[in-house]
Amino acid sequence: VSPARQRTSGVMRLTKLVLTLLLLGLAGQAACQEDDYGEDDFGGGGGYGEEEEEEDPPPAPAGDGAARELSSVADLEAFMDDNDASVVGAFLEKEMPDPAAVMPEDWDEDEDGTWEAPVVTNPELAAFNSIASSLYNYRFAFSAAPDVLAKLKSKTGGLYLYRSPKFLSAEHGDKPRERFPSTKLSESAVRNWLNSKAQPLVGLYSSSTKERYSGATLVVFFNLDFAKNAKGVSYVLKRARKAAAKLKGKLAVAVASSTDLSYELGDYGLPTDKPNTILMGISAGGQYYAPADGAAAFSGDTMSEFARAFLAGELTPYEKPEPEPAAGGGDEDLSDSDDDYGGGDEDDEYKDEA
């Protein structure tokens, strides 16, 4: 075979080898792209594949941060039948001619017709709605319906606070209703008024109402269910009111659902696994106290003794223990070890394969 022919044959073999390597490389790149942009570990499209449409967030619960309109007396009665206080605004009209509107100087009744001020939302109602959206821990409603205003005995309108009928005790001096002392509403004035008036002698202590108890407060935790535990609720409220009447001005008294506020029981050092047990704790200035004889059964006497010991300075606030370190804890030097992210011989093998 001539040298020229040998060279030609060698070039052809080299060309075939190069083409084969190029095809293998393209196949490998396609496989990598399929892994990167195909289905992920969760069965969905990843990378630049098809994206799942994001679901809209669930709507906010009705009434949160907004005042509810009461169209009838039935609406009013249903609104006030609640564990918490009810704030009701009464207005003679929802809309009215804009009191600040002025007829333009060049208004021509022959050409432009009779001038009338534009209709706007009642400014007092607008102020009320703004306050309701800010004071979201209170329940607000309003009405301009004549029969509702008649039920409220409101001839000129106004702002009214109705304490919860479920915790109201006329026997101990609780008044069912309070009226805001001014016709002009401002957020700070309404907030201060509500915080000082909303809770009865023994009221509900919850995530929404706890801020109303600014001073030391004795809280009774128990199964606060008016429907399923009516006798138990009556038993606790009767004794709590008797003690609260003697402690007025010294120590506030409230009741709470041990289920709804189970996450707070640990702050007092109280057990969290006894929802049917009546427990007591005192919150004061960011510190939490439990009875010295925490195992004593609840009664009017044990409640009074707990309050007396606190006011006498005989109790020590509970301190949560520091969390125990995890088993086998301590700082581990992982610099030279083979961790879960690879290393050692496997890493070398991977490099060799690459």
Side-chain angles (χ1 to χ4, degrees):
V1 180
S2 67
R5 188 168 184 178
Q6 288 179 345
R7 287 195 300 270
T8 302
S9 176
V11 170
M12 291 178 66
R13 285 198 299 271
L14 180 61
T15 302
K16 289 181 178 179
L17 177 61
V18 170
L19 290 173
T20 301
L21 292 175
L22 286 173
L23 290 173
L24 290 174
L26 291 173
Q29 184 178 3
C32 292
Q33 288 179 343
E34 183 175 347
D35 288 341
D36 289 343
Y37 308 123
E39 291 187 353
D40 54 27
D41 293 339
F42 299 98
Y48 298 104
E50 293 183 1
E51 297 183 359
E52 295 183 0
E53 294 184 2
E54 295 184 0
E55 295 184 1
D56 294 331
D64 282 6
R68 171 185 170 186
E69 183 174 4
L70 306 175
S71 302
S72 65
V73 173
D75 288 346
L76 172 66
E77 293 175 345
F79 179 71
M80 293 194 299
D81 185 22
D82 195 88
N83 287 353
D84 198 6
S86 303
V87 187
V88 181
F91 302 93
L92 300 184
E93 51 191 352
K94 292 170 55 178
E95 296 179 335
M96 59 187 299
D98 186 354
V102 178
M103 185 178 72
E105 294 183 358
D106 60 347
W107 187 274
D108 188 329
E109 291 194 355
D110 292 335
E111 296 290 337
D112 303 321
T114 304
W115 182 82
E116 294 179 354
V119 175
V120 296
T121 299
N122 185 339
E124 293 179 358
L125 176 56
F128 172 85
N129 284 331
S130 176
I131 293 170
S133 65
S134 298
L135 305 183
Y136 53 85
N137 280 340
Y138 286 96
R139 302 169 54 256
F140 284 84
F142 72 92
S143 183
D147 55 340
V148 176
L149 268 62
K151 182 69 175 180
L152 296 173
K153 298 180 180 179
S154 178
K155 297 181 180 180
T156 59
L159 182 63
Y160 301 91
L161 166 69
Y162 286 86
R163 296 184 176 91
S164 170
K166 298 185 178 182
F167 294 98
L168 197 68
S169 175
E171 177 186 352
H172 293 88
D174 288 336
K175 294 174 61 178
R177 183 177 101 163
E178 300 278 351
R179 182 173 179 174
F180 188 65
S182 175
T183 57
K184 294 184 178 180
L185 304 179
S186 70
E187 182 180 326
S188 60
V190 172
R191 178 191 292 109
N192 293 336
W193 175 67
L194 290 175
N195 286 344
S196 64
K197 300 288 187 181
Q199 300 307 95
L201 179 66
V202 176
L204 175 66
Y205 186 91
S206 69
S207 58
S208 298
T209 66
K210 65 169 70 174
E211 294 181 359
R212 304 172 197 173
Y213 294 96
S214 56
T217 306
L218 190 160
V219 185
V220 183
F221 299 91
F222 70 110
N223 180 17
L224 184 55
D225 190 323
F226 284 91
K228 298 180 180 179
N229 188 32
K231 290 184 178 180
V233 173
S234 177
Y235 172 84
V236 171
L237 285 178
K238 183 177 180 180
R239 284 150 184 79
R241 286 166 180 155
K242 184 176 179 180
K246 297 178 181 178
L247 295 170
K248 198 170 184 178
K250 301 175 184 178
L251 183 64
V253 178
V255 293
S257 166
S258 54
T259 302
D260 293 346
L261 290 187
S262 59
Y263 59 89
E264 282 199 5
L265 295 175
D267 295 336
Y268 300 85
L270 299 173
T272 59
D273 57 349
K274 298 181 179 180
N276 294 322
T277 302
I278 303 174
L279 304 170
M280 294 183 294
I282 292 177
S283 170
Q287 294 183 316
Y288 302 90
Y289 302 80
D293 52 347
F298 172 84
S299 68
D301 291 338
T302 56
M303 185 177 180
S304 298
E305 174 57 24
F306 181 33
R308 184 207 65 77
F310 169 77
L311 295 173
E314 298 175 4
L315 300 179
T316 302
Y318 175 74
E319 293 185 7
K320 281 188 175 181
E322 293 293 332
E324 296 182 2
D331 296 333
E332 297 181 6
D333 185 4
L334 303 178
S335 58
D336 297 327
S337 63
D338 295 338
D339 56 25
D340 294 336
Y341 297 96
D345 294 339
E346 293 181 1
D347 224 12
D348 293 339
E349 291 176 5
Y350 175 75
K351 292 176 181 178
D352 290 342
E353 290 177 4

